[in-house]
Amino acid sequence: MKKILVATEKPFAPVAVEGIKNVFDKAGYEVMMLEKYTDKADLLKAVETADGMIIRSDQASAEVIEAAANLRIIVRAGAGYDNIDLDACTAKKVVAMNTPGQNSNAVAELAFAMMLYNIRNGFNGTSGSELRGKTIGIHAYGNVGKYVATIAKGFGMIVHAFDPFVKKEDIEKDGVNAVDSVEELYKKCQYISLHIPANEKTKKSIDYKLLSSMPKGATLVNTARKEVICEDSLLKVFEERTDFNYLSDLVPDCKDIVKEKFAGRYIFPAKKMGAQTSEANINAGIAAAEQIVAFFEKGDNTFQVNR
Ligand code: 3PG
């Protein structure tokens, strides 16, 4: 009997866990749950006998992959897989997958939740402003970027996007203005919504040059990864521009300085909340479970991200 570990430091909603268990029950697989663990040793122990594994932002380091003697597949229930050591997976012939698109709407909605909370001054009773008529730049036009565009148009925002991997005509089909460079995007837009992955090319790429070029009312919305921000630049722009706001689903390393000096101009949740809805948990969790069953039963490796 195949053993599947669901290791989620930040658990799925109970209804999603039920759905995941149903998929594995039907396939005749055993499910092992490891939720809210605080010690890496617990993960190393739990993975020892697993044939397959579902994770979220949990760290699947080389040490974890090494500890999993029987592991054949690991699925990140979500989009970004920068938390998986892909080389370690490839070296051990472990297939790594993600579940693209499954939690995208939830992430896009959170971007707007943060924007509205911020533009209405945290609902503190004072007069705020509106999103209608403001410019928004979508930095990377993937699954989340597309949802952000749809919602932004609903709010009456002027929507621009930049993505070097998507054809301009495909962006413009959606009624979004595709700009030619990342510099142009930041120069044009009061709001920037970030949707780039964290990798060697993008880490610290959101720098002083880009941030300081944004027009008055500059607001950076980060539902992507904290690593893509150059935090020295972030702090410099916060200092220099009283109109600059940073709304982030990821708590930056410089959080203490921001909290002390820039009250009312930032949002950081307790934990990453973008994908934390029951709908997104059901979509991504069940997709992950189905991908594991399809892999074992039919050799299906659609969505494999390591080769
Ligand atoms: C993703 O990459 O899918 C999101 O960052 C969601 O991450 P989470 O599952 O840890 O909430």
Side-chain angles (χ1 to χ4, degrees):
M1 186 190 254
K2 298 263 180 301
K3 287 188 179 176
I4 310 298
L5 173 66
V6 179
T8 48
E9 179 274 317
K10 183 177 65 188
F12 290 120
V15 60
V17 173
E18 206 183 297
I20 292 167
K21 285 184 174 165
N22 278 342
V23 172
F24 289 130
D25 274 357
K26 275 197 199 123
Y29 297 3
E30 182 186 330
V31 182
M32 305 179 288
M33 298 296 301
L34 177 69
E35 295 180 312
K36 293 189 192 170
Y37 59 94
T38 49
D39 193 342
K40 187 172 69 178
D42 295 338
L43 178 58
L44 293 173
K45 180 95 201 106
V47 84
E48 269 174 9
T49 57
D51 300 289
M53 183 178 181
I54 295 178
I55 56 168
R56 295 185 64 180
S57 290
D58 307 77
Q59 291 304 312
S61 61
E63 193 184 2
V64 172
I65 305 299
E66 273 307 311
N70 305 334
L71 195 68
R72 302 268 319 280
I73 177 165
I74 175 164
V75 183
R76 193 279 190 246
Y81 45 86
D82 47 309
N83 52 326
I84 304 180
D85 189 322
L86 294 183
D87 291 339
C89 288
T90 305
K92 273 203 70 188
K93 297 194 169 37
V94 173
V95 168
M97 293 186 185
N98 65 349
T99 63
Q102 300 290 351
N103 59 20
S104 307
N105 181 64
V107 176
E109 286 192 13
L110 185 82
F112 284 88
M114 294 196 294
M115 285 158 64
L116 287 170
Y117 184 82
N118 176 255
I119 203 168
R120 294 299 186 102
N121 302 330
F123 310 137
N124 68 0
T126 63
S127 187
S129 185
E130 299 180 21
L131 294 178
R132 175 169 293 275
K134 304 276 190 302
T135 44
I136 182 166
I138 302 174
H139 188 170
Y141 201 68
N143 290 310
V144 184
K146 282 187 187 145
Y147 278 110
V148 168
T150 305
I151 302 171
K153 283 189 287 173
F155 274 109
M157 299 182 86
I158 301 152
V159 190
H160 302 281
F162 175 71
D163 192 323
F165 304 105
V166 181
K167 283 195 208 120
K168 275 181 99 175
E169 54 265 38
D170 288 340
I171 296 177
E172 297 203 323
K173 259 196 282 199
D174 293 345
V176 171
N177 175 40
V179 301
D180 289 318
S181 67
V182 71
E183 288 79 16
E184 187 185 346
L185 190 76
Y186 282 68
K187 234 178 237 153
K188 271 203 161 103
C189 298
Q190 293 157 296
Y191 283 86
I192 291 286
S193 192
L194 271 176
H195 305 293
I196 53 176
N199 57 39
E200 286 325 304
K201 279 205 177 122
T202 62
K203 280 181 188 164
K204 293 189 196 284
S205 65
I206 309 307
D207 59 8
Y208 183 75
K209 200 169 148 234
L210 289 177
L211 295 177
S212 61
S213 74
M214 290 175 72
K216 196 168 163 37
T219 301
L220 180 66
V221 185
N222 186 2
T223 54
R225 290 291 182 268
K226 73 172 181 178
E227 291 81 3
V228 302
I229 307 290
C230 170
E231 293 197 6
D232 290 343
S233 302
L234 182 76
L235 289 174
K236 193 164 172 298
V237 176
F238 255 126
E239 284 287 359
E240 288 178 3
R241 296 183 54 168
T242 51
D243 65 318
F244 177 78
N245 294 271
Y246 183 48
L247 318 180
S248 178
D249 192 20
L250 305 310
V251 183
D253 296 335
C254 63
K255 65 174 186 311
D256 294 338
I257 306 176
V258 176
K259 284 183 181 173
E260 190 195 314
K261 296 175 87 171
F262 309 115
R265 294 166 54 198
Y266 69 87
I267 296 177
F268 309 138
K271 275 190 189 253
K272 187 159 61 142
M273 292 299 294
Q276 204 56 332
T277 66
S278 29
E279 292 90 337
N281 290 171
I282 291 168
N283 293 344
I286 292 178
E290 285 173 345
Q291 285 172 216
I292 288 178
V293 173
F295 169 76
F296 281 122
E297 303 305 321
K298 301 187 216 147
D300 184 345
N301 62 356
T302 314
F303 305 118
Q304 182 170 355
V305 292
N306 67 323
R307 293 286 170 184

